């Protein structure tokens, strides 16, 4: 069981030049919880920023592993990054509705992740 669960009913994918992002949120209101994965131009190809429900709970190079299963994406954060995430080390992103973009967001996330962290 994960430390935090985000029941995603909203997903978004952004591709603007070399800047790419994929997000999963409980609702359109960021206060309800979200997970954001982002790669910005000018950073190394393996540098990925992740944020969980608030910009103060975010860091680059904090992802240890991401696993994909039907209706769930499990994120494991590196133990040495736990302080940056309020001592959270795992997050489950769960499909809460029949989202039309769920599969596309999962594929975009796979493309964004460094190969070493995908399980």
């Amino acid at each position: 069981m994960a430390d935090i669960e985000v029941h995603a009913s909203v997903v978004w994918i952004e591709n603007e030049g070399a800047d790419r992002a994929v997000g999963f949120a409980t609702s359109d209101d960021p206060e309800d919880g979200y997970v954001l994965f982002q790669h910005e131009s000018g950073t190394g190809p393996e540098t990925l920023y992740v944020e969980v429900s608030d910009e103060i709970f975010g860091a680059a190079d904090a992802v240890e592993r991401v696993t994909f299963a039907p209706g769930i994406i499990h994120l494991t954060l590196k133990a040495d990054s736990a302080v940056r995430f309020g001592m959270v080390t795992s997050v489950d992103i769960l499909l809460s509705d029949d989202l039309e973009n769920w599969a596309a967001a999962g594929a975009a996330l796979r493309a964004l992740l460094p190969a070493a962290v995908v399980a």
Side-chain angles (χ1 to χ4, degrees), residues 59 81 113:
S81 298
L113 293 169

Side-chain angles (χ1 to χ4, degrees), residues 71-92:
I72 185 168
I73 300 169
H74 181 77
L75 167 64
T76 304
L77 299 166
K78 293 178 180 176
D80 62 357
S81 298
V83 171
R84 293 284 304 138
F85 292 90
M87 301 313 290
V88 168
T89 59
S90 63
V91 179
D92 280 345

Side-chain angles (χ1 to χ4, degrees), residues 34 41 46 49 53 73 82 87-88 90 93 100 111:
Y34 65 89
S41 60
E46 298 295 305
Y49 173 82
S53 295
I73 300 169
M87 301 313 290
V88 168
S90 63
I93 304 166
E100 186 175 304

